[in-house]
Amino acid sequence: IRNVFDTRTAARFLGTQRSGLDWLLEEWLGIEVPDDVGWFDWGQRPLPERALRYAASDVRHLHDLRDRLAAELHETDWWEPFQQQSEHLAREAVHDPDDFEPEGWRRIDRGPNLNREGKRALRALYRWRQTLCEAQNRPPEHIVNDDGLVHLASHRPTTREELEAVSPVPDDVFEAYGDAILEVIERAEQRNIPKTREHETSWRLSADEEARYDVLREWRNARAELLGIPDEFVATNDTLESIARHPPREVSELEEFADVLPWQRERLGEELVGVLQTVSTSDEANS
């Protein structure tokens, strides 16, 4: 991706109340976008005329909106930081044609609360759903949503009657794949769940690193509030964790952290390093 002008990022640098496109068009250009298809099944075909008009409105006013936001960014001296942030977004936006995470079921709400058998079933159902998504080119929520998977894994039906009674499965999926779902749940009983690195303590911060991270995070939050920009524009939590693990002694050493942008080093580097030195002094005094 090249030459990105992200309207949401621009709006957040400018401290607007909201950053959604519909709101920005109305607030900055006085254009009201019909919202009667805001929540719409874009997988249906053919798309109705009102949906096509709504989709077109997403792009037809973008150049005018860009010009208005750019002028304000120049006026408030946020243009260069915004440019760097947009370039950073573009660098990070690497297309992965297979971005499915086989262990992504661990992050499903209420999944970690299941018992061992439930977790086995959830893992198997999560992977089975992905094979169906790929085969039919449909999004997961159009097959069985995450809540449905957890419900199935919790009850673990053994017959089509029980499956129908549990009822988290759309009718078309139940009719076509009910037996497959039952088979997936049954076979899951025989499979163990592999451990991942989330179980390893070596990935945790040490006591000294944790202390540095806490102080950096407190400084970051206060600085972001003072500047009137989101916390992550000063530094993300992942960046602060990396800095806490490998604290720089000079501003120039911040160049070793890929996620620390030039404007952040120039405007905030000395202050950040000073905060770290304060933590070090405190640690030495305690020792």
Side-chain angles (χ1 to χ4, degrees):
I1 300 176
R2 296 289 185 271
N3 300 323
V4 170
F5 188 106
D6 186 65
T7 57
R8 182 172 183 267
T9 299
R12 299 181 79 199
F13 265 114
L14 295 173
T16 61
Q17 296 176 358
R18 294 158 63 184
S19 56
L21 180 59
D22 290 358
W23 185 88
L24 289 173
L25 290 175
E26 183 174 355
E27 184 72 13
W28 288 76
L29 300 180
I31 296 172
E32 291 191 35
V33 178
D35 60 359
D36 59 335
V37 289
W39 296 98
F40 185 74
D41 178 10
W42 294 97
Q44 68 173 274
R45 292 294 183 272
L47 289 170
E49 181 64 26
R50 61 191 178 90
L52 293 172
R53 287 198 304 268
Y54 178 86
S57 70
D58 270 3
V59 295
R60 65 181 299 188
H61 306 295
L62 283 181
H63 286 174
D64 292 338
L65 181 61
R66 175 202 59 195
D67 294 344
R68 288 291 307 279
L69 293 172
E72 191 70 16
L73 288 166
H74 280 291
E75 182 70 22
T76 56
D77 200 27
W78 280 120
W79 174 253
E80 188 59 35
F82 162 75
Q83 287 280 77
Q84 293 177 18
Q85 190 72 27
S86 294
E87 291 169 3
H88 178 68
L89 285 173
R91 287 195 301 271
E92 294 296 307
V94 178
H95 174 61
D96 185 352
D98 183 16
D99 59 357
F100 174 69
E101 297 181 46
E103 296 301 315
W105 64 272
R106 297 177 185 272
R107 293 191 296 275
I108 295 178
D109 287 344
R110 297 186 293 117
N113 297 331
L114 295 171
N115 59 23
R116 182 174 61 182
E117 291 75 16
K119 290 178 180 177
R120 288 175 176 173
L122 179 60
R123 180 174 185 264
L125 288 165
Y126 176 80
R127 294 182 169 207
W128 167 81
R129 182 182 66 178
Q130 178 63 17
T131 63
L132 205 56
C133 288
E134 293 174 355
Q136 298 189 2
N137 194 26
R138 297 171 66 189
E141 60 270 17
H142 288 185
I143 296 174
V144 185
N145 62 26
D146 287 351
D147 286 341
L149 290 185
V150 173
H151 201 66
L152 285 171
S154 176
H155 289 79
R156 297 187 297 286
T158 59
T159 66
R160 288 184 70 93
E161 290 74 18
E162 291 179 2
L163 177 60
E164 188 173 15
V166 170
S167 188
V169 181
D171 291 343
D172 62 324
V173 176
F174 173 80
E175 291 298 330
Y177 301 102
D179 291 338
I181 292 173
L182 296 174
E183 184 179 351
V184 168
I185 293 174
E186 181 181 2
R187 287 190 299 182
E189 297 286 340
Q190 312 302 321
R191 298 178 178 175
N192 292 322
I193 297 176
K195 290 186 176 182
T196 63
R197 73 185 190 191
E198 68 186 49
H199 301 284
E200 301 174 9
T201 58
S202 61
W203 287 86
R204 298 175 182 172
L205 295 173
S206 68
D208 287 346
E209 292 168 348
E210 189 76 42
R212 285 194 289 267
Y213 174 78
D214 289 343
V215 171
L216 284 169
R217 194 164 179 269
E218 183 177 347
W219 165 81
R220 185 273 313 273
N221 294 346
R223 175 52 60 191
E225 183 176 0
L226 187 63
L227 292 172
I229 59 177
D231 295 346
E232 65 268 24
F233 284 7
V234 174
T236 65
N237 287 340
D238 287 343
T239 300
L240 293 182
E241 183 174 312
S242 296
I243 293 173
R245 291 181 185 275
H246 309 285
R249 296 180 180 274
E250 299 179 357
V251 174
S252 60
E253 295 178 16
L254 287 171
E255 295 181 11
E256 299 174 9
F257 300 89
D259 291 337
V260 177
L261 304 179
W263 80 266
Q264 294 165 335
R265 292 197 302 269
E266 294 167 7
R267 298 193 185 188
L268 306 169
E270 289 188 11
E271 193 173 339
L272 187 154
V273 172
V275 168
L276 285 171
Q277 291 174 347
T278 300
V279 179
S280 299
T281 301
S282 175
D283 290 344
E284 292 170 4
N286 290 333
S287 62

